[in-house]
Amino acid sequence: MNKKILSVLLAASVTLLSACNKDDDGKIKVAINTGPDQTLWETVKQVAHDKYHLDVDVVAFNDYVQPNEALFNKDVDANAFQSLPYLAMQSRERGYHFAVITHTFVFPIAGYSRKIKSLDALPDGATVTLSNEATTLGRSLLLLQAQGLIKVKPEAGLLPTTLDITANPKNLKFVEVDTPQLARTLDDPQVYVSIINNNFAALANLSASRDGMFKEGKASPYVNAIVAREDNKDSPNIQKLKEAFQSQEVLDKANEIYKGDIIKGW
């Protein structure tokens, strides 16, 4: 055989072997959000290790931008923090080509107050705080609409903004703030209601089912997902991660941590 051809074949074999070894090295890095999910992922790590011989390295971020950037830059192999509408929006805006590996849970957002016990006591002109992140903002406005407090343009879909409000009979004032700061606004003398994500509510010891005046139901389209890149979605480690997450142990732990404030998505 021609020596040049032989060397090319050997090089190709080494490259292929290295790729296979990388996929089967028994290690995977996953980006999540800070909060209760960190405790949940300790169970995921344990199940992955014990049942699938997979070592899961979890990296926690305190925002909604870095987990996708880390995945895009190949700093992590997967992430698990975002709803499908958020993923769709980020993919359009930033050109991501990610693959959904499995749905996880719906984490219902809810309306909280330290001043009133029911919406019947909500005064005209009251201030309501909302997330300034586009997907969560739209989700919050749709939740307020479901309570009959406002109406938004139907054509806005899952991403309405305050500019899409067509009816506001109580003349509510809406203030957008950084999502991690929403719980703090409950102590503001002017704020009567705040719409808060499950994970940030939990950090403030708030439970949607226990403390929320109103919350999303089972029909919510905002199911979260484990996401990988197109180039690694079929790797053995990604599939093992999926199986570990969908275990009964993880479901039981999630129900324990979130005290019934979750809806199974798979």
Side-chain angles (χ1 to χ4, degrees):
M1 181 181 291
N2 185 290
K3 289 184 178 180
K4 186 174 182 179
I5 295 175
L6 179 60
S7 63
V8 170
L9 290 173
L10 287 172
S13 298
V14 170
T15 300
L16 180 60
L17 182 60
S18 297
C20 290
N21 287 339
K22 186 177 186 306
D23 279 344
D24 293 320
D25 64 0
K27 297 180 181 180
I28 192 168
K29 186 177 286 189
V30 183
I32 66 168
N33 269 157
T34 54
D37 265 6
Q38 290 173 273
T39 302
L40 177 64
W41 276 83
E42 289 301 314
T43 298
V44 178
K45 289 169 63 174
Q46 192 65 51
V47 173
H49 180 270
D50 293 347
K51 289 189 174 181
Y52 301 98
H53 308 292
L54 179 68
D55 290 328
V56 181
D57 181 12
V58 174
V59 183
F61 294 99
N62 195 36
D63 65 29
Y64 289 115
V65 176
Q66 293 186 71
N68 275 337
E69 280 295 290
L71 181 59
F72 178 76
N73 293 327
K74 299 187 177 182
D75 295 325
V76 298
D77 304 297
N79 66 42
F81 77 103
Q82 63 194 319
S83 68
L84 295 184
Y86 181 80
L87 172 62
M89 182 192 70
Q90 287 285 288
S91 297
R92 287 194 303 270
E93 292 182 355
R94 296 173 179 263
Y96 297 139
H97 296 285
F98 295 154
V100 173
I101 302 305
T102 181
H103 295 169
T104 58
F105 303 104
V106 175
F107 296 94
I109 61 172
Y112 299 90
S113 178
R114 291 205 171 113
K115 297 177 178 64
I116 58 175
K117 298 297 184 182
S118 74
L119 290 177
D120 293 337
L122 184 65
D124 289 354
T127 295
V128 177
T129 53
L130 309 168
S131 169
N132 61 7
E133 185 277 308
T135 305
T136 310
L137 171 61
R139 187 177 181 180
S140 301
L141 291 172
L142 292 175
L143 180 59
L144 289 169
Q145 178 174 251
Q147 309 311 307
L149 293 173
I150 60 172
K151 289 184 179 179
V152 297
K153 296 176 183 176
E155 56 267 29
L158 295 176
L159 293 172
T161 70
T162 52
L163 297 176
D164 295 310
I165 295 174
T166 58
N168 181 10
K170 280 187 170 289
N171 295 310
L172 301 175
K173 299 174 183 176
F174 299 106
V175 177
E176 299 175 26
V177 301
D178 290 341
T179 310
Q181 304 304 318
L182 284 168
R184 288 187 178 185
T185 68
L186 291 172
D187 295 322
D188 188 310
Q190 302 301 315
V191 175
Y192 275 81
V193 177
S194 184
I195 313 298
I196 309 177
N197 302 57
N198 186 291
N199 56 331
F200 290 111
L203 287 173
N205 196 32
L206 296 170
S207 162
S209 58
R210 183 190 68 216
D211 306 304
M213 287 193 296
F214 53 91
K215 66 176 183 176
E216 288 176 314
K218 293 183 178 181
S220 171
Y222 293 92
V223 63
N224 279 28
I226 295 177
V227 175
R229 295 183 304 275
E230 286 290 341
D231 65 8
N232 72 338
K233 66 180 181 181
D234 296 318
S235 74
N237 289 343
I238 290 290
Q239 298 308 310
K240 290 176 184 177
L241 180 70
K242 174 183 175 181
E243 294 299 321
F245 192 93
Q246 291 182 345
S247 66
Q248 187 64 43
E249 294 95 326
V250 170
L251 179 59
D252 291 344
K253 189 64 175 180
N255 277 310
E256 175 190 329
I257 293 170
Y258 289 100
K259 299 176 174 55
D261 284 349
I262 60 166
I263 301 168
K264 179 182 171 183
W266 70 88

PDB file of all heavy atoms in Angstrom, residues 141-170:
ATOM      1  N   LEU A 141     -47.337  38.624  31.824  1.00  0.00           N
ATOM      2  CA  LEU A 141     -48.489  39.368  31.316  1.00  0.00           C
ATOM      3  C   LEU A 141     -49.633  38.416  30.954  1.00  0.00           C
ATOM      4  O   LEU A 141     -50.802  38.716  31.208  1.00  0.00           O
ATOM      5  CB  LEU A 141     -48.085  40.208  30.111  1.00  0.00           C
ATOM      6  CG  LEU A 141     -47.150  41.385  30.410  1.00  0.00           C
ATOM      7  CD1 LEU A 141     -46.656  42.018  29.124  1.00  0.00           C
ATOM      8  CD2 LEU A 141     -47.846  42.424  31.284  1.00  0.00           C
ATOM      9  N   LEU A 142     -49.293  37.274  30.389  1.00  0.00           N
ATOM     10  CA  LEU A 142     -50.331  36.289  30.057  1.00  0.00           C
ATOM     11  C   LEU A 142     -50.977  35.730  31.325  1.00  0.00           C
ATOM     12  O   LEU A 142     -52.177  35.440  31.346  1.00  0.00           O
ATOM     13  CB  LEU A 142     -49.743  35.155  29.215  1.00  0.00           C
ATOM     14  CG  LEU A 142     -49.305  35.552  27.799  1.00  0.00           C
ATOM     15  CD1 LEU A 142     -48.619  34.383  27.110  1.00  0.00           C
ATOM     16  CD2 LEU A 142     -50.489  36.030  26.974  1.00  0.00           C
ATOM     17  N   LEU A 143     -50.192  35.607  32.394  1.00  0.00           N
ATOM     18  CA  LEU A 143     -50.744  35.153  33.671  1.00  0.00           C
ATOM     19  C   LEU A 143     -51.696  36.200  34.245  1.00  0.00           C
ATOM     20  O   LEU A 143     -52.773  35.870  34.754  1.00  0.00           O
ATOM     21  CB  LEU A 143     -49.612  34.859  34.655  1.00  0.00           C
ATOM     22  CG  LEU A 143     -50.027  34.366  36.049  1.00  0.00           C
ATOM     23  CD1 LEU A 143     -50.842  33.080  35.955  1.00  0.00           C
ATOM     24  CD2 LEU A 143     -48.794  34.150  36.924  1.00  0.00           C
ATOM     25  N   LEU A 144     -51.328  37.466  34.134  1.00  0.00           N
ATOM     26  CA  LEU A 144     -52.204  38.547  34.603  1.00  0.00           C
ATOM     27  C   LEU A 144     -53.483  38.601  33.771  1.00  0.00           C
ATOM     28  O   LEU A 144     -54.572  38.862  34.300  1.00  0.00           O
ATOM     29  CB  LEU A 144     -51.466  39.884  34.537  1.00  0.00           C
ATOM     30  CG  LEU A 144     -50.353  40.074  35.562  1.00  0.00           C
ATOM     31  CD1 LEU A 144     -49.520  41.306  35.220  1.00  0.00           C
ATOM     32  CD2 LEU A 144     -50.927  40.194  36.976  1.00  0.00           C
ATOM     33  N   GLN A 145     -53.338  38.330  32.484  1.00  0.00           N
ATOM     34  CA  GLN A 145     -54.522  38.298  31.627  1.00  0.00           C
ATOM     35  C   GLN A 145     -55.455  37.161  32.042  1.00  0.00           C
ATOM     36  O   GLN A 145     -56.688  37.322  32.053  1.00  0.00           O
ATOM     37  CB  GLN A 145     -54.111  38.120  30.157  1.00  0.00           C
ATOM     38  CG  GLN A 145     -55.294  38.027  29.214  1.00  0.00           C
ATOM     39  CD  GLN A 145     -54.865  37.999  27.757  1.00  0.00           C
ATOM     40  OE1 GLN A 145     -55.058  38.949  27.023  1.00  0.00           O
ATOM     41  NE2 GLN A 145     -54.265  36.895  27.321  1.00  0.00           N
ATOM     42  N   ALA A 146     -54.880  36.015  32.406  1.00  0.00           N
ATOM     43  CA  ALA A 146     -55.695  34.878  32.833  1.00  0.00           C
ATOM     44  C   ALA A 146     -56.482  35.184  34.104  1.00  0.00           C
ATOM     45  O   ALA A 146     -57.522  34.568  34.354  1.00  0.00           O
ATOM     46  CB  ALA A 146     -54.805  33.654  33.054  1.00  0.00           C
ATOM     47  N   GLN A 147     -55.989  36.165  34.878  1.00  0.00           N
ATOM     48  CA  GLN A 147     -56.707  36.566  36.095  1.00  0.00           C
ATOM     49  C   GLN A 147     -57.736  37.661  35.812  1.00  0.00           C
ATOM     50  O   GLN A 147     -58.436  38.110  36.734  1.00  0.00           O
ATOM     51  CB  GLN A 147     -55.713  37.087  37.148  1.00  0.00           C
ATOM     52  CG  GLN A 147     -54.550  36.177  37.440  1.00  0.00           C
ATOM     53  CD  GLN A 147     -54.953  34.752  37.695  1.00  0.00           C
ATOM     54  OE1 GLN A 147     -55.802  34.495  38.539  1.00  0.00           O
ATOM     55  NE2 GLN A 147     -54.331  33.810  36.988  1.00  0.00           N
ATOM     56  N   GLY A 148     -57.837  38.100  34.561  1.00  0.00           N
ATOM     57  CA  GLY A 148     -58.791  39.142  34.197  1.00  0.00           C
ATOM     58  C   GLY A 148     -58.338  40.548  34.533  1.00  0.00           C
ATOM     59  O   GLY A 148     -59.142  41.493  34.483  1.00  0.00           O
ATOM     60  N   LEU A 149     -57.053  40.716  34.854  1.00  0.00           N
ATOM     61  CA  LEU A 149     -56.557  42.036  35.239  1.00  0.00           C
ATOM     62  C   LEU A 149     -56.210  42.907  34.041  1.00  0.00           C
ATOM     63  O   LEU A 149     -56.293  44.138  34.116  1.00  0.00           O
ATOM     64  CB  LEU A 149     -55.329  41.898  36.150  1.00  0.00           C
ATOM     65  CG  LEU A 149     -55.607  41.287  37.521  1.00  0.00           C
ATOM     66  CD1 LEU A 149     -54.300  41.037  38.262  1.00  0.00           C
ATOM     67  CD2 LEU A 149     -56.507  42.212  38.342  1.00  0.00           C
ATOM     68  N   ILE A 150     -55.794  42.295  32.952  1.00  0.00           N
ATOM     69  CA  ILE A 150     -55.450  43.029  31.737  1.00  0.00           C
ATOM     70  C   ILE A 150     -55.875  42.206  30.525  1.00  0.00           C
ATOM     71  O   ILE A 150     -56.255  41.030  30.651  1.00  0.00           O
ATOM     72  CB  ILE A 150     -53.928  43.312  31.627  1.00  0.00           C
ATOM     73  CG1 ILE A 150     -53.142  41.987  31.598  1.00  0.00           C
ATOM     74  CG2 ILE A 150     -53.454  44.225  32.757  1.00  0.00           C
ATOM     75  CD1 ILE A 150     -51.652  42.158  31.285  1.00  0.00           C
ATOM     76  N   LYS A 151     -55.773  42.820  29.356  1.00  0.00           N
ATOM     77  CA  LYS A 151     -55.882  42.118  28.086  1.00  0.00           C
ATOM     78  C   LYS A 151     -54.705  42.525  27.221  1.00  0.00           C
ATOM     79  O   LYS A 151     -54.282  43.692  27.251  1.00  0.00           O
ATOM     80  CB  LYS A 151     -57.201  42.453  27.382  1.00  0.00           C
ATOM     81  CG  LYS A 151     -58.435  41.861  28.048  1.00  0.00           C
ATOM     82  CD  LYS A 151     -59.691  42.162  27.230  1.00  0.00           C
ATOM     83  CE  LYS A 151     -60.934  41.551  27.879  1.00  0.00           C
ATOM     84  NZ  LYS A 151     -62.171  41.841  27.109  1.00  0.00           N
ATOM     85  N   VAL A 152     -54.178  41.558  26.469  1.00  0.00           N
ATOM     86  CA  VAL A 152     -53.074  41.853  25.558  1.00  0.00           C
ATOM     87  C   VAL A 152     -53.457  41.434  24.145  1.00  0.00           C
ATOM     88  O   VAL A 152     -54.360  40.623  23.943  1.00  0.00           O
ATOM     89  CB  VAL A 152     -51.772  41.134  25.986  1.00  0.00           C
ATOM     90  CG1 VAL A 152     -51.313  41.621  27.344  1.00  0.00           C
ATOM     91  CG2 VAL A 152     -51.959  39.622  25.989  1.00  0.00           C
ATOM     92  N   LYS A 153     -52.760  41.979  23.180  1.00  0.00           N
ATOM     93  CA  LYS A 153     -53.042  41.659  21.781  1.00  0.00           C
ATOM     94  C   LYS A 153     -52.804  40.171  21.515  1.00  0.00           C
ATOM     95  O   LYS A 153     -51.717  39.661  21.807  1.00  0.00           O
ATOM     96  CB  LYS A 153     -52.136  42.483  20.866  1.00  0.00           C
ATOM     97  CG  LYS A 153     -52.342  43.980  20.932  1.00  0.00           C
ATOM     98  CD  LYS A 153     -51.315  44.696  20.063  1.00  0.00           C
ATOM     99  CE  LYS A 153     -51.467  46.204  20.164  1.00  0.00           C
ATOM    100  NZ  LYS A 153     -50.413  46.913  19.400  1.00  0.00           N
ATOM    101  N   PRO A 154     -53.769  39.480  20.943  1.00  0.00           N
ATOM    102  CA  PRO A 154     -53.578  38.051  20.661  1.00  0.00           C
ATOM    103  C   PRO A 154     -52.398  37.778  19.742  1.00  0.00           C
ATOM    104  O   PRO A 154     -51.711  36.749  19.883  1.00  0.00           O
ATOM    105  CB  PRO A 154     -54.900  37.642  19.995  1.00  0.00           C
ATOM    106  CG  PRO A 154     -55.889  38.663  20.445  1.00  0.00           C
ATOM    107  CD  PRO A 154     -55.119  39.938  20.585  1.00  0.00           C
ATOM    108  N   GLU A 155     -52.153  38.694  18.801  1.00  0.00           N
ATOM    109  CA  GLU A 155     -51.067  38.468  17.844  1.00  0.00           C
ATOM    110  C   GLU A 155     -49.691  38.533  18.483  1.00  0.00           C
ATOM    111  O   GLU A 155     -48.681  38.172  17.860  1.00  0.00           O
ATOM    112  CB  GLU A 155     -51.148  39.466  16.687  1.00  0.00           C
ATOM    113  CG  GLU A 155     -51.135  40.930  17.081  1.00  0.00           C
ATOM    114  CD  GLU A 155     -52.535  41.503  17.262  1.00  0.00           C
ATOM    115  OE1 GLU A 155     -53.454  40.731  17.633  1.00  0.00           O
ATOM    116  OE2 GLU A 155     -52.701  42.709  17.018  1.00  0.00           O
ATOM    117  N   ALA A 156     -49.613  38.983  19.742  1.00  0.00           N
ATOM    118  CA  ALA A 156     -48.323  39.020  20.439  1.00  0.00           C
ATOM    119  C   ALA A 156     -47.866  37.621  20.842  1.00  0.00           C
ATOM    120  O   ALA A 156     -46.708  37.416  21.200  1.00  0.00           O
ATOM    121  CB  ALA A 156     -48.415  39.911  21.674  1.00  0.00           C
ATOM    122  N   GLY A 157     -48.763  36.654  20.779  1.00  0.00           N
ATOM    123  CA  GLY A 157     -48.400  35.272  21.073  1.00  0.00           C
ATOM    124  C   GLY A 157     -47.909  35.081  22.490  1.00  0.00           C
ATOM    125  O   GLY A 157     -48.520  35.571  23.435  1.00  0.00           O
ATOM    126  N   LEU A 158     -46.776  34.365  22.625  1.00  0.00           N
ATOM    127  CA  LEU A 158     -46.215  34.077  23.943  1.00  0.00           C
ATOM    128  C   LEU A 158     -45.256  35.165  24.424  1.00  0.00           C
ATOM    129  O   LEU A 158     -44.696  35.056  25.514  1.00  0.00           O
ATOM    130  CB  LEU A 158     -45.472  32.739  23.915  1.00  0.00           C
ATOM    131  CG  LEU A 158     -46.321  31.495  23.654  1.00  0.00           C
ATOM    132  CD1 LEU A 158     -45.431  30.257  23.565  1.00  0.00           C
ATOM    133  CD2 LEU A 158     -47.387  31.310  24.721  1.00  0.00           C
ATOM    134  N   LEU A 159     -45.090  36.208  23.613  1.00  0.00           N
ATOM    135  CA  LEU A 159     -44.108  37.231  23.968  1.00  0.00           C
ATOM    136  C   LEU A 159     -44.697  38.647  23.985  1.00  0.00           C
ATOM    137  O   LEU A 159     -44.130  39.579  23.398  1.00  0.00           O
ATOM    138  CB  LEU A 159     -42.924  37.182  22.985  1.00  0.00           C
ATOM    139  CG  LEU A 159     -42.045  35.941  23.033  1.00  0.00           C
ATOM    140  CD1 LEU A 159     -41.050  35.944  21.885  1.00  0.00           C
ATOM    141  CD2 LEU A 159     -41.306  35.866  24.371  1.00  0.00           C
ATOM    142  N   PRO A 160     -45.830  38.848  24.640  1.00  0.00           N
ATOM    143  CA  PRO A 160     -46.350  40.212  24.719  1.00  0.00           C
ATOM    144  C   PRO A 160     -45.453  41.086  25.603  1.00  0.00           C
ATOM    145  O   PRO A 160     -44.747  40.592  26.485  1.00  0.00           O
ATOM    146  CB  PRO A 160     -47.729  40.025  25.357  1.00  0.00           C
ATOM    147  CG  PRO A 160     -47.598  38.790  26.177  1.00  0.00           C
ATOM    148  CD  PRO A 160     -46.679  37.895  25.394  1.00  0.00           C
ATOM    149  N   THR A 161     -45.488  42.383  25.347  1.00  0.00           N
ATOM    150  CA  THR A 161     -44.837  43.359  26.204  1.00  0.00           C
ATOM    151  C   THR A 161     -45.918  44.278  26.762  1.00  0.00           C
ATOM    152  O   THR A 161     -47.097  44.171  26.394  1.00  0.00           O
ATOM    153  CB  THR A 161     -43.811  44.197  25.421  1.00  0.00           C
ATOM    154  OG1 THR A 161     -44.506  45.075  24.517  1.00  0.00           O
ATOM    155  CG2 THR A 161     -42.871  43.298  24.633  1.00  0.00           C
ATOM    156  N   THR A 162     -45.526  45.191  27.618  1.00  0.00           N
ATOM    157  CA  THR A 162     -46.511  46.125  28.173  1.00  0.00           C
ATOM    158  C   THR A 162     -47.122  47.000  27.079  1.00  0.00           C
ATOM    159  O   THR A 162     -48.222  47.521  27.247  1.00  0.00           O
ATOM    160  CB  THR A 162     -45.860  47.012  29.252  1.00  0.00           C
ATOM    161  OG1 THR A 162     -44.671  47.614  28.727  1.00  0.00           O
ATOM    162  CG2 THR A 162     -45.502  46.179  30.486  1.00  0.00           C
ATOM    163  N   LEU A 163     -46.428  47.141  25.957  1.00  0.00           N
ATOM    164  CA  LEU A 163     -46.976  47.911  24.834  1.00  0.00           C
ATOM    165  C   LEU A 163     -48.126  47.181  24.153  1.00  0.00           C
ATOM    166  O   LEU A 163     -48.886  47.794  23.390  1.00  0.00           O
ATOM    167  CB  LEU A 163     -45.877  48.214  23.808  1.00  0.00           C
ATOM    168  CG  LEU A 163     -44.710  49.083  24.297  1.00  0.00           C
ATOM    169  CD1 LEU A 163     -43.661  49.222  23.210  1.00  0.00           C
ATOM    170  CD2 LEU A 163     -45.215  50.452  24.747  1.00  0.00           C
ATOM    171  N   ASP A 164     -48.264  45.893  24.411  1.00  0.00           N
ATOM    172  CA  ASP A 164     -49.332  45.098  23.811  1.00  0.00           C
ATOM    173  C   ASP A 164     -50.581  45.041  24.681  1.00  0.00           C
ATOM    174  O   ASP A 164     -51.557  44.375  24.332  1.00  0.00           O
ATOM    175  CB  ASP A 164     -48.833  43.665  23.547  1.00  0.00           C
ATOM    176  CG  ASP A 164     -47.718  43.621  22.518  1.00  0.00           C
ATOM    177  OD1 ASP A 164     -47.901  44.221  21.446  1.00  0.00           O
ATOM    178  OD2 ASP A 164     -46.675  42.996  22.805  1.00  0.00           O
ATOM    179  N   ILE A 165     -50.564  45.730  25.810  1.00  0.00           N
ATOM    180  CA  ILE A 165     -51.737  45.746  26.692  1.00  0.00           C
ATOM    181  C   ILE A 165     -52.835  46.603  26.048  1.00  0.00           C
ATOM    182  O   ILE A 165     -52.613  47.763  25.718  1.00  0.00           O
ATOM    183  CB  ILE A 165     -51.378  46.304  28.083  1.00  0.00           C
ATOM    184  CG1 ILE A 165     -50.383  45.362  28.773  1.00  0.00           C
ATOM    185  CG2 ILE A 165     -52.631  46.474  28.943  1.00  0.00           C
ATOM    186  CD1 ILE A 165     -49.842  45.887  30.102  1.00  0.00           C
ATOM    187  N   THR A 166     -53.988  46.007  25.865  1.00  0.00           N
ATOM    188  CA  THR A 166     -55.108  46.718  25.239  1.00  0.00           C
ATOM    189  C   THR A 166     -56.184  47.110  26.252  1.00  0.00           C
ATOM    190  O   THR A 166     -57.041  47.946  25.956  1.00  0.00           O
ATOM    191  CB  THR A 166     -55.749  45.859  24.141  1.00  0.00           C
ATOM    192  OG1 THR A 166     -56.195  44.614  24.709  1.00  0.00           O
ATOM    193  CG2 THR A 166     -54.748  45.576  23.020  1.00  0.00           C
ATOM    194  N   ALA A 167     -56.169  46.501  27.421  1.00  0.00           N
ATOM    195  CA  ALA A 167     -57.137  46.850  28.469  1.00  0.00           C
ATOM    196  C   ALA A 167     -56.477  46.699  29.825  1.00  0.00           C
ATOM    197  O   ALA A 167     -55.783  45.710  30.088  1.00  0.00           O
ATOM    198  CB  ALA A 167     -58.375  45.970  28.380  1.00  0.00           C
ATOM    199  N   ASN A 168     -56.695  47.692  30.687  1.00  0.00           N
ATOM    200  CA  ASN A 168     -56.106  47.702  32.021  1.00  0.00           C
ATOM    201  C   ASN A 168     -57.085  48.413  32.953  1.00  0.00           C
ATOM    202  O   ASN A 168     -56.862  49.541  33.391  1.00  0.00           O
ATOM    203  CB  ASN A 168     -54.762  48.430  31.986  1.00  0.00           C
ATOM    204  CG  ASN A 168     -54.057  48.474  33.335  1.00  0.00           C
ATOM    205  OD1 ASN A 168     -54.469  47.808  34.288  1.00  0.00           O
ATOM    206  ND2 ASN A 168     -53.002  49.268  33.425  1.00  0.00           N
ATOM    207  N   PRO A 169     -58.234  47.765  33.235  1.00  0.00           N
ATOM    208  CA  PRO A 169     -59.331  48.432  33.941  1.00  0.00           C
ATOM    209  C   PRO A 169     -58.965  48.976  35.317  1.00  0.00           C
ATOM    210  O   PRO A 169     -59.574  49.957  35.766  1.00  0.00           O
ATOM    211  CB  PRO A 169     -60.406  47.341  34.051  1.00  0.00           C
ATOM    212  CG  PRO A 169     -59.698  46.054  33.815  1.00  0.00           C
ATOM    213  CD  PRO A 169     -58.579  46.371  32.893  1.00  0.00           C
ATOM    214  N   LYS A 170     -57.982  48.398  35.988  1.00  0.00           N
ATOM    215  CA  LYS A 170     -57.578  48.906  37.299  1.00  0.00           C
ATOM    216  C   LYS A 170     -56.448  49.933  37.204  1.00  0.00           C
ATOM    217  O   LYS A 170     -55.948  50.411  38.235  1.00  0.00           O
ATOM    218  CB  LYS A 170     -57.146  47.746  38.207  1.00  0.00           C
ATOM    219  CG  LYS A 170     -58.306  46.979  38.848  1.00  0.00           C
ATOM    220  CD  LYS A 170     -57.794  45.969  39.843  1.00  0.00           C
ATOM    221  CE  LYS A 170     -58.935  45.374  40.660  1.00  0.00           C
ATOM    222  NZ  LYS A 170     -59.499  46.344  41.627  1.00  0.00           N
TER     223      LYS A 170
END
